[in-house]
Amino acid sequence: MSDLVRAGLVELHDGEPRVVGSQVDPGYLDGFLHASPNVRRSTSQSGSYRLDVKGARIPQRELPVQRRYGTAFLALRDMEREATRLAEAAKHLADLAREGLGTGDLEPDGT
């Protein structure tokens, strides 16, 4: 990451990286920043996590390859977001069913 900053391809604003120009795909950068190897490097022995942006390792790849990775990383983020939304909806549904059973508004199936 520090090489990207020195080359003027990425700027850090309040510790957050921002792509400058069109030589680095933003999804590629974000995906690798949050990939396991960089997360492990940013997690202390006590378990606390603070992303080490400057020390993060971002592989050098051609822009078309970066875009493919960026698209894949963004798809994973969307899938995680949707899975979280679905889990929250399922929990809400279970809470409503539990409440209905508890109040007698719902009855269990007799089969």
Side-chain angles (χ1 to χ4, degrees):
M1 174 61 91
S2 54
D3 290 341
L4 292 171
V5 171
R6 273 193 299 276
L9 301 174
V10 173
E11 292 178 351
L12 296 178
H13 295 279
D14 297 326
E16 293 292 318
R18 293 194 186 148
V19 173
V20 178
S22 59
Q23 294 179 334
V24 176
D25 182 83
Y28 177 83
L29 179 63
D30 185 66
F32 272 101
L33 282 173
H34 294 94
S36 296
N38 283 320
V39 170
R40 278 194 298 270
R41 294 180 77 233
S42 297
T43 304
S44 71
Q45 295 230 347
S46 67
S48 64
Y49 172 76
R50 188 172 191 286
L51 183 61
D52 176 18
V53 175
K54 286 186 179 180
R57 294 185 177 149
I58 310 299
Q60 292 183 351
R61 298 208 166 95
E62 298 293 323
L63 190 55
V65 176
Q66 288 182 33
R67 287 186 178 133
R68 288 198 322 264
Y69 272 87
T71 298
F73 279 129
L74 292 173
L76 284 172
R77 188 175 62 195
D78 290 345
M79 184 217 36
E80 287 175 321
R81 201 175 285 137
E82 192 61 26
T84 299
R85 189 190 67 74
L86 183 60
E88 289 168 355
K91 182 180 180 336
H92 181 69
L93 180 61
D95 289 344
L96 289 175
R98 191 174 294 108
E99 181 180 335
L101 288 167
T103 61
D105 291 334
L106 293 176
E107 290 186 20
D109 188 8
T111 59

